[in-house]
Every structure is written in structure tokens, then in C-alpha cells.
Amino acid sequence: MTHHINRPHLVVIGNGMAGCRAVEELLARDPNRYRVTIFGAEPHVNYNRIMLSPVLAGEKTFDEIVINPRDWYDGNGIELVPGDSVTGIDRAAQTVTAASGRTVRYDKLLIATGSDPFIIPVPGKDLPGVISFRDMKDVDAMLEAADKGGDAVVIGGGLLGLEAAHGLTLRGMKVTVLHLMPTLMERQLDEAAGWLLKSELESRGQTILTGADTAEILGTDHVEGVKLKDGRVIPASLVVMAVGIRPSTALAREAGLAVGRGIHVDDHMITSDPDVLAVGECVEHDGNVYGLVAPLWEMCRALADGLVEAPTGYRGSVTSTKLKVSGIDLFSAGDFSGGDGAEDIVLRDASRGIYKRVVVKDDRIVGAVLYGDTADGSWYFDLLKKQEDISDLRDLLIFGQAFAQGGGQADPKAAVAALSDDAEICGCNGVSKGEVVACIAKGAASLDAVRTGCKASASCGSCTGLVETLLAVTLGDAVQSGPKTMCKCTSFGHDDVRREIVVQGMRSIPEVMQKLHWSTPDGCSSCRPALNYYLLCALPGDYQDDQQSRFVNERMHANIQKDGTYSVVPRMWGGITSPRELRAIADVVEKYDAPMVKVTGGQRLDIFGIRKEDLPAVWADLNAAGMVSGHAYGKALRTVKTCVGSEWCRFGTQDSTGLGVKLERGFWGSWMPHKFKMAVSGCPRNCAEATIKDFGVVCVDSGYELHVGGNGGIHVRATDLLVKVATEDEAMHYAAAFVQLYREEARYLERTAPWIERVGLQYLKDRIVEDEVARDTLAARFWYSQTFSQDDPWAERVAGDAREQHAHMAAFTPIRTEELA
Amino acid sequence: MIGEWLDIGWLQEIPVRGSRTVPVEGGEEIAVFRTGDDKVFALVNRCPHKGGPLSAGLVHGHSVACPLHNWNIALATGQAKGEDKGCTPVIPAKISGGRVLICRASTLKAAA
């Protein structure tokens, strides 16, 4: 290689994708310009690091992912120094020194050290069996562990972690993925796509724990398990940390180069020293660092242009991501997170497992997330990168390139009108266009009528838009709008949503939104609280509560008042209190300077004017006196009002106070479609006003009259008599059945009065009085549900659960102008 | 020298689709919101309608529903949405290195 000796010497630190690509680009421009030496820490030739996942999964061999074999180095006169990492740069002498002691002089130095895996600093992180997923050595370690079988834990549910989990699963290990954030791949995917991905991975046998915060890695000589901060322990003979990477900058920093998050470079990839360049994941350009491969290529082009003095400059990159897990199609590009003026176009097709979301701003695509069908990913990415005006395509954009550009059909109505009569409209029920049109011709003038008439759109609902268009095409203005939908986010009504939740056993809000084709990313203030309630009612103990989908009163466990302070109502069972409780309440009023205490219409004491940040302390004081939350803030059982009954009253026929206490003890904590009040009156004089309550008992000599559907609200309604029973136990049993029927069938925010007027009293009698089996089943479901709900929310919050919701995040004290002068 | 941005804490300290407050001495409280897609926004903690604390509202998309009377306020502009008319002062906010920053000058101005 003597003929190279007089050329300037380019020394490259890093034999990875960026370092070698930069050299390739350079050679393509001028193969005779530099003498090149490449130092590599790994004992390999240049390979494609992003293909390590398929190697782990057994879909590729190492030889298949080599980019530049030995011949390439030799043929281009490049000296490769493998397995020897550079340990120091002397910029004054213009030399680098490697671990072996070897020192070489450079004219131009290129740093391409890439990035290091981020190891979370927990006890046990250095145990044998804890590895990262970064190079071929890690893959070998995983393959070796997989040969022995057993349990593996992957910490990190990002791209790399999921690919590692996939590979280990295919290699026969039982894999648990721990992810700190609530959804997988939260940087690339929105919640809906993250949920689909989680479901798919779970169906492949992986256990995915989100919101899982690692506390410690357990083991003595070798890793044995992972302990989470909530105390759960997951056994593991292999732990893969894939929580992230950070630019490898130690060498550059020690050499005195300007380093921020990465090594600072300008548009020509030059560092703060004009003879030192840097490229790849180790650099920071214009405030950005990149962990994906496409930007590397763009950087290398700019760098090579600079080296041959034809500078073009690097201007930053727009990136896209695909998950390399076989059978899962997932694409994400640009900024899908919206922002000012951004609009979402969402398509959900649950039966095919497809979710697409394109974010448009000022008639240009700024981001896209595709799950299940990524065929159009490159088309969207291209429109995004070129910043093309899509206003002409907008109506059809979400259907993809073929549809949006095919045949110039810009009008979706025309497209539907042009369909042949035997074109299938509803895949679930096999209904053709001809059958839908025939159904409409026979008089079905609304979506609901079509659903009843020919079953189209009656199952998964993904063809709802098509059916609506057919209605519009066939009938023009004569279309009747269907029953009221839950809100603008869905075409389904409350009852449809409830039915689907039960039938499909759905457990979380994102799941419902996906399967029922919600048109917004995360719903609105009307549908979210309703969905949360429907889920808790359908699957008590098994659904995922979403605090952020509850109205503020239920989130704060107190009543918000007009000035932003809260009022607090402790429970007084059946309206009875004691000196101890009264003293505790009086103390709270004084201690927290509550401006008012008021006896409520339901015989409880309401303490007003408590500040949000004082709520936990107030509850702690009340808890200490044995009092629990009165749920006066919730769509829940509030009070059971009583009179004194046979114990003191000369007219009282039964122990109304005792029954009131019993009802409140049994029913407290149960969430309802709306607020729910009970009362027990000891005689027909009705001092507890039981006949304007949701459930009222009027005691008579021969037993108990059970009344339902009373309301003292805007439209005062007296109760209807449901049935008369002889014993307290029967009264309790009927109450449970009634409450459960209301919980299961009324729409969210529908009180008992309008519900009963809607379904009719006879319907209630048929279900609860005439049908003993239905009565028993309803009551059993109610008591089962109560086993999950009778925890005092105040005590939980005082114990620290989400306590920070009450505190300020920070405080700001402005510096006064005189101090600045 | 006083920086342009005021660091108020980690993004993780705000619940997803939730909000936290920052009191300003001698001025109005500020509500800092985190949306479902991990963006942050800050508004004076006061609904233009009847002064409800927006920080206690339900965050959906890039809007918040006032807890008192369910007015929907756009987080980016502070404008009431739909038929309602009114505006809440906006304080520029951003995330940097996982920290939430709000604009110091706007904080002072809005709070004055």
C-alpha cells in the first residue's frame, strides 16, 4: 500500500454503519483522495446493526447482515484495525491511541462511535445474565441463554426491546416485557396503535406489563429475577435492558471537543476542531440527536461532500420507523402528535385489525401512524418529506394511494354510487350493496333501520360510513338521522356501546375506541366518563379504571365549588352521628378555616371551602375519627335518609333507622350511571321523604313498601310502587336487584326517573318482581361487584395513591423590578 | 441574567391527560397540561366563562373541558370552542430534555 503513503491520512474511529458508510460515500466521490484507517472495537467487519433482530429471531445469519466483507477493505486499500478500541485522541499532536498501545497520526479524524445502551442504575444491574441489545456479542449471549430455556425479562417496550422480546419468544423463552410508560413505543405510536400492538404481542404469548417501574434486579451469582417498585417479582434467567441509547461521547469530551447531548457538529459534520469530523448517532446537529439509520445516510453524504470540498451541507432529517417483528405491520413517521392547527384523520377497521392516522397541518402531512396495513407508509412519508399540498386528496387521503389517486374519483359518494350491486358492503354479515339498497327501498330510512332490516353495519360497524353514504345516495335529503349517538366521536349510541362491551368483554377505553371505530384520538369529555363507567359496570374487578376519564369530583373525591375550592362530606351511616365524629368535623372546620358547614338535604354535614392541596390532610383527620368518604361527589350511592322509626317515634312501625344503616353499609361505594339516593321512612307520614328518592322504603305495619324512580331534581317526580315485601332481608334483596338493573341498563348520566319513564314501570316489574331468577341473578351480580368497590377512596389517597394530584407542581415568585435595577 | 424559560419540573410529574398547577406570587395560578400525545400547554387557570379552574378539567385531544360548566377550551390558543366565546391567556410552554419549561415573560404578564 505504499502508493497511498503520500495522501492525507483519514482515521475513522468506529467500524459501524456510520463510519463505513461515510468512507463509502467518500470513495464514491474520490477514491484516491485519502489514505484510510478504520478502528473498530468489535472483532468483526462492518455489519448491519439494525438487522441484529432478525439474526436473533433466526431469520438471518450473521454472514447475511455483513455490509462490507474483508475484500472491500482490502480492495480499497483501507486498513481495518478490528477488536481494538481507541482510548485517546491527542488533538495537538493529531494522533489517536488504541487500547493495544498502537498510535497513529491523522490529517483528518472522523469520530463515528455511535451510541451506548442506557443501563438503568438499579441494584443488580451488573449481575451476569443482565445484558443490553446492541451488538453481535449481545445476540450471542441471548442465543446462549435461550438454549437453556426459561424466563426472560426485557426492560423497555420500545422498538429495540420489542424486537429482542420477539426473538427470545421465537427461541422458546417465556418473555415478560416491562415498560415504564402506559403504552408501548409511545414515541412512535399513539395510544390506539400501542394498544393494538400490545394485544397482538400478548396473543403471541408474551406478558406485557406497562407502567412497570423496575426497582431491583435480583440474584446472587447470576440474575434470578426482577423486582418492580410495586413489589411484584418476575423470575428471569436473562434480563435484556433496552430502555434506550445515548450518544457515545466520552472520547470526544476527553479530547476537549464541544459536546452537548452529542458531539456538536455543523452542517458539514465538522466538530469544534476543523480537522475532526463526526457522524452518526454520536453527534448532535442543530439540537437533534438521531437513533435511526436514515439520518446517518444523509449525514454521510454531507460529510463526504465536505471532505472532497464540494460542500452541500446537512439540514437535519425527518424520520420514519418500522417494527421488525414478523407478522406485525407498523409504521410511524414524522410528528403524529398534533399540535397547533393540526387535524387528525383516523381510520379504524377493527375486524381487519387496522388503524391509520394521518396528521395534517396547513394542508400538508406532518405525521402518520399505520398499524396492520403499512402499504401506504412510503407514500405518506413521501408526501410528508416533500411537503406537498394535499387539499385535493384530503377526502380520500386516509384510504391510501390507490384509492386517492385511482381514476380521479374525488367524490366518495360517486365512488359508492359506482359500486356494482353485488359489491360487498358488510363483511361481517355478508350483505351486498344490492341488498342494502333493496332494504332502503322497502322503507328503511335511517342507519338503525338498515341495521335492523338487513343486518348491514349491525356487527363491527366498520362499514357504517358506507351504509350512510348509500342512504344518502339512495334517498338524498330523505335520510333520517339515527338514534342519538353517544357523542361526536362515535356513530354508536349508548346502548350499542354497552352491548358491545359486554359481548366482546372489552376491558379498557383504548380497546373500546379501537374496536368501535372512534373518530378521535382519545375521545371527549362526554364519552370518556361514560365509557369508564360502562367498563367498570360490565367487568368489575377486571376492567382498567382511567382516573383521567373521571369528572373532577370523582378524581378529587370532593365537590368542586364555584370558586374552585372543594366541599367534603363524610359518611354518616343512616344519618346517625356521634360526639367523636362531630368533634372531628368541628376540628377540621377550625383547623382548615372552612367558611361554612351545612346540613345537606340527605342528612349529612357538608364542610365547604377546602383548598385542593388541603384535601388529603382533611381526609386523614376524618379517617382518624373512623369516618369515610360520603361519595357526595360521585355518580354513586350518596345518602340513605332515615327517620327515627319504631325505636323512638310513637307512629313508627318498623326500625327505619336500622334498615337505613343496613342499606348504606351494603350499598356504599357502588358507582352508578348518575347520583343515587335512598331513604327509609318509618311510617306512611314519610318524614324521610322516601317517595322522591331513587329507591325509597316506606315502612307499614305489615312490612315494607319499596318505591323507585323518585327525583327531587329539576323535574320533580314521585316514586312508583315497585312491590311490597314482608322482611328487611327481602327489602335488601330487591334493592340490590333494582340497583343492578339500573346500573346495567340506564345510560350514563340518566337518573332513575327518566330511565323508568323511558323503559316503563312494567318492564321493571317483569324483570325484578315477576322473574325470580332474574332478580336473584341481578342481586348476585350486584353483591359481586361490591366486593371490589367498598374501599374508602379517601384512605387510599391519604396513603399516597396519586397524592401529587393535590400539590402544586412548582411555585413562581417574580423578582421585583427594583431588585433588577 | 434571568433566563427566558422557567423550569417547573419533569414531564412525568404531570399525569397523562391531566394537569398540575403553578401558583404565581401576587398573581393568578397557572395550569400546565399534558395531553395524551405527551405535549404540554399552559394557560392561566381560569375559564373565560365563570372562572372555573381549568386544571381540574378533563383533557381530551388538545382541549380541556372546564369542570364547572363544561366549556371546551383549546389548549393551544386559550379560545373557547364551538358556540362559546371567550379566551384564556396562553403561556408558551415546551419540553426540553424531559423538563417542562414555561415562558417567564408571559407568566409575569398573564399573572399581573
Side-chain angles (χ1 to χ4, degrees):
Chain A
M1 284 181 246
T2 45
H3 60 285
H4 291 137
I5 205 77
N6 292 323
R7 296 178 189 165
H9 191 190
L10 172 68
V11 173
V12 182
I13 307 175
N15 185 35
M17 301 182 70
C20 286
R21 180 60 168 248
V23 173
E24 281 180 41
E25 291 280 351
L26 173 65
L27 294 174
R29 282 162 180 73
D30 186 351
N32 302 314
R33 183 76 155 241
Y34 291 93
R35 176 164 68 92
V36 179
T37 302
I38 302 177
F39 281 89
E42 289 183 69
H44 304 284
V45 292
N46 174 224
Y47 62 87
N48 188 346
R49 196 180 299 280
I50 57 174
M51 298 308 276
L52 283 174
S53 299
V55 174
L56 177 65
E59 291 153 6
K60 295 224 182 275
T61 64
F62 178 73
D63 287 343
E64 287 175 288
I65 69 165
V66 165
I67 300 174
N68 292 305
R70 195 79 217 188
D71 295 350
W72 174 80
Y73 296 89
D74 296 343
N76 287 294
I78 299 164
E79 185 181 4
L80 173 65
V81 188
D84 196 4
S85 49
V86 172
T87 53
I89 302 168
D90 184 341
R91 290 197 292 130
Q94 289 196 263
T95 59
V96 300
T97 304
S100 62
R102 177 179 179 138
T103 298
V104 298
R105 194 177 176 287
Y106 65 82
D107 296 296
K108 291 279 180 194
L109 178 67
L110 171 59
I111 304 177
T113 44
S115 54
D116 298 318
F118 181 67
I119 300 296
I120 48 174
V122 290
K125 67 180 169 52
D126 298 321
L127 279 172
V130 181
I131 60 165
S132 55
F133 183 22
R134 192 66 196 145
D135 55 30
M136 200 51 214
K137 173 172 61 61
D138 297 324
V139 172
D140 287 335
M142 283 191 244
L143 294 178
E144 197 184 321
D147 279 345
K148 296 181 195 136
D151 300 299
V153 166
V154 175
I155 303 177
L159 203 60
L160 210 55
L162 295 181
E163 291 180 7
H166 172 64
L168 292 170
T169 305
L170 289 183
R171 298 280 180 177
M173 296 194 85
K174 186 174 172 301
V175 180
T176 302
V177 177
L178 306 179
H179 192 54
L180 184 60
M181 302 305 286
T183 54
L184 295 174
M185 290 182 69
E186 75 285 346
R187 286 191 193 176
Q188 292 86 15
L189 301 183
D190 59 12
E191 193 175 20
W195 176 83
L196 279 171
L197 178 60
K198 180 168 184 269
S199 311
E200 171 64 28
L201 293 173
E202 283 171 339
S203 75
R204 295 175 173 212
Q206 293 177 18
T207 305
I208 313 278
L209 302 179
T210 50
D213 200 354
T214 304
E216 188 179 355
I217 296 174
L218 307 171
T220 44
D221 309 323
H222 192 275
V223 62
E224 288 164 18
V226 176
K227 185 175 178 183
L228 300 182
K229 287 203 175 140
D230 62 16
R232 277 180 289 180
V233 171
I234 297 121
S237 55
L238 174 73
V239 172
V240 181
M241 282 220 201
V243 292
I245 53 173
R246 54 180 167 200
S248 173
T249 57
L251 204 56
R253 198 183 293 273
E254 280 163 29
L257 294 170
V259 173
R261 281 194 293 154
I263 304 166
H264 283 161
V265 291
D266 66 9
D267 288 352
H268 309 289
M269 314 316 291
I270 298 168
T271 68
S272 55
D273 178 336
D275 289 321
V276 182
L277 305 115
V279 74
E281 291 179 346
C282 60
V283 308
E284 175 181 336
H285 174 265
D286 199 18
N288 294 310
V289 296
Y290 296 95
L292 294 165
V293 75
L296 303 191
W297 300 160
E298 291 166 29
M299 286 182 204
C300 287
R301 278 195 286 277
L303 173 108
D305 286 340
L307 280 174
V308 297
E309 285 144 23
T312 47
Y314 174 62
R315 298 270 183 268
S317 297
V318 193
T319 56
S320 69
T321 311
K322 278 191 169 185
L323 184 71
K324 291 176 294 302
V325 170
S326 44
I328 298 182
D329 292 322
L330 188 163
F331 174 88
S332 152
D335 179 5
F336 60 85
S337 57
D340 296 357
E343 299 158 67
D344 287 298
I345 307 175
V346 178
L347 173 82
R348 301 178 195 251
D349 183 342
S351 57
R352 291 196 297 150
I354 287 171
Y355 171 80
K356 298 183 182 183
R357 178 166 166 219
V358 176
V359 186
V360 174
K361 197 169 178 175
D362 301 332
D363 291 327
R364 273 152 186 91
I365 295 180
V366 294
V369 184
L370 309 177
Y371 186 97
D373 175 4
T374 54
D376 287 306
S378 49
W379 181 59
Y380 291 127
F381 193 44
D382 196 48
L383 290 173
L384 188 162
K385 280 198 292 191
K386 291 179 180 156
Q387 285 294 288
E388 282 190 21
D389 188 319
I390 51 85
S391 44
D392 292 345
L393 298 173
R394 194 186 158 110
D395 288 350
L396 300 166
L397 187 67
I398 199 70
F399 301 111
Q401 184 175 17
F403 198 48
Q405 295 182 339
Q409 286 175 336
D411 178 6
K413 275 193 190 175
V416 173
L419 289 172
S420 65
D421 270 358
D422 55 2
E424 186 177 83
I425 298 293
C426 173
C428 299
N429 296 299
V431 188
S432 69
K433 177 187 166 189
E435 290 170 272
V436 177
V437 171
C439 174
I440 295 170
K442 269 189 253 158
S446 68
L447 179 63
D448 210 46
V450 172
R451 282 178 177 165
T452 320
C454 68
K455 300 296 282 174
S457 155
S459 294
C460 86
S462 62
C463 58
T464 302
L466 277 174
V467 173
E468 283 171 337
T469 309
L470 273 178
L471 277 162
V473 169
T474 315
L475 295 177
D477 292 337
V479 180
Q480 294 166 4
S481 52
K484 249 175 89 97
T485 61
M486 251 178 98
C487 64
K488 63 178 173 28
C489 308
T490 176
S491 59
F492 284 94
H494 282 266
D495 299 341
D496 298 326
V497 171
R498 293 205 80 162
R499 190 187 59 240
E500 289 303 318
I501 285 174
V502 173
V503 169
Q504 301 194 37
M506 297 188 233
R507 286 190 300 192
S508 70
I509 291 176
E511 183 176 5
V512 177
M513 289 184 174
Q514 173 61 26
K515 289 194 171 162
L516 301 184
H517 316 279
W518 242 245
S519 61
T520 47
D522 55 6
C524 69
S525 57
S526 354
C527 60
R528 289 231 314 267
L531 289 181
N532 200 55
Y533 170 73
Y534 292 154
L535 287 162
L536 84 81
C537 182
L539 286 164
D542 207 21
Y543 85 112
Q544 285 170 21
D545 194 67
D546 179 19
Q547 279 291 305
Q548 298 305 337
S549 292
R550 285 178 178 261
F551 187 64
V552 59
N553 283 359
E554 290 184 5
R555 245 182 298 132
M556 287 294 155
H557 306 305
N559 276 343
I560 194 165
Q561 300 297 340
K562 61 186 281 185
D563 64 350
T565 65
Y566 291 81
S567 81
V568 171
V569 185
R571 223 169 250 298
M572 287 179 178
W573 308 99
I576 297 175
T577 186
S578 68
R580 178 179 157 83
E581 290 180 348
L582 289 170
R583 228 174 256 126
I585 290 172
D587 286 346
V588 161
V589 172
E590 276 185 354
K591 189 167 162 189
Y592 300 96
D593 224 7
M596 183 164 89
V597 190
K598 186 180 181 310
V599 181
T600 70
Q603 299 173 334
R604 305 296 184 271
L605 286 171
D606 197 349
I607 309 162
F608 283 85
I610 302 294
R611 294 180 306 165
K612 180 184 71 174
E613 49 272 36
D614 286 337
L615 285 171
V618 166
W619 301 332
D621 288 0
L622 294 170
N623 277 167
M627 302 173 88
V628 300
S629 167
H631 287 90
Y633 43 79
K635 309 299 173 211
L637 174 75
R638 296 196 172 173
T639 52
V640 184
K641 191 174 183 178
T642 60
C643 67
V644 293
S646 57
E647 201 181 346
W648 295 89
C649 177
R650 64 202 163 97
F651 300 111
T653 60
Q654 310 282 356
D655 178 12
S656 54
T657 322
L659 179 56
V661 172
K662 209 181 269 183
L663 280 167
E664 191 162 353
R665 293 265 180 207
F667 286 73
W668 78 282
S670 58
W671 299 106
M672 307 270 192
H674 209 304
K675 62 183 171 185
F676 192 93
K677 297 176 179 183
M678 299 200 205
V680 188
S681 282
C683 75
R685 285 167 188 77
N686 195 9
C687 294
E689 296 160 335
T691 51
I692 52 160
K693 294 293 182 280
D694 295 285
F695 184 84
V697 181
V698 176
C699 302
V700 290
D701 276 330
S702 53
Y704 306 83
E705 288 177 355
L706 308 183
H707 293 255
V708 294
N711 191 344
I714 300 171
H715 304 291
V716 181
R717 182 184 195 272
T719 48
D720 293 309
L721 176 64
L722 181 69
V723 66
K724 194 181 150 205
V725 297
T727 65
E728 279 194 354
D729 284 350
E730 282 174 289
M732 293 286 286
H733 190 58
Y734 276 88
F738 169 73
V739 162
Q740 188 65 12
L741 191 67
Y742 170 60
R743 294 182 76 226
E744 289 179 5
E745 298 190 0
R747 295 165 189 163
Y748 192 63
L749 296 187
E750 185 174 44
R751 288 202 64 180
T752 53
W755 171 57
I756 288 171
E757 288 184 355
R758 179 164 65 84
V759 301
L761 180 67
Q762 192 54 48
Y763 172 74
L764 262 60
K765 286 188 169 168
D766 290 347
R767 294 291 304 271
I768 299 167
V769 183
E770 309 301 334
D771 187 341
E772 191 182 339
V773 177
R775 175 167 71 240
D776 292 350
T777 323
L778 282 165
R781 279 207 293 274
F782 176 74
W783 295 119
Y784 172 73
S785 165
Q786 281 299 81
T787 60
F788 301 101
S789 60
Q790 288 196 321
D791 294 316
D792 178 31
W794 288 356
E796 280 172 19
R797 189 59 66 82
V798 167
D801 174 35
R803 204 183 163 121
E804 75 280 356
Q805 283 197 18
H806 299 276
H808 293 302
M809 187 176 187
F812 183 48
T813 312
I815 297 172
R816 286 167 191 81
T817 39
E818 58 267 28
E819 291 170 32
L820 287 170
Chain B
M1 186 60 205
I2 297 169
E4 188 192 341
W5 293 93
L6 184 75
D7 183 330
I8 54 170
W10 293 105
L11 176 65
Q12 279 85 347
E13 294 174 47
I14 310 174
V16 179
R17 278 181 231 91
S19 164
R20 297 285 298 275
T21 47
V22 177
V24 179
E25 190 185 299
E28 287 197 79
E29 202 164 88
I30 288 169
V32 187
F33 301 89
R34 177 179 178 186
T35 55
D37 52 25
D38 267 350
K39 297 267 174 178
V40 292
F41 296 94
L43 297 176
V44 167
N45 193 15
R46 169 170 50 80
C47 179
H49 175 219
K50 294 210 166 169
L54 295 175
S55 62
L58 207 133
V59 178
H60 56 100
H62 284 184
S63 304
V64 61
C66 175
L68 296 191
H69 305 100
N70 208 30
W71 275 37
N72 274 306
I73 309 296
L75 292 173
T77 60
Q79 293 283 353
K81 296 171 75 169
E83 294 299 300
D84 299 322
K85 295 285 169 276
C87 187
T88 294
V90 177
I91 289 105
K94 65 176 182 181
I95 305 167
S96 175
R99 304 285 295 180
V100 178
L101 309 178
I102 58 175
C103 175
R104 183 184 293 268
S106 305
T107 301
L108 274 173
K109 190 163 156 257

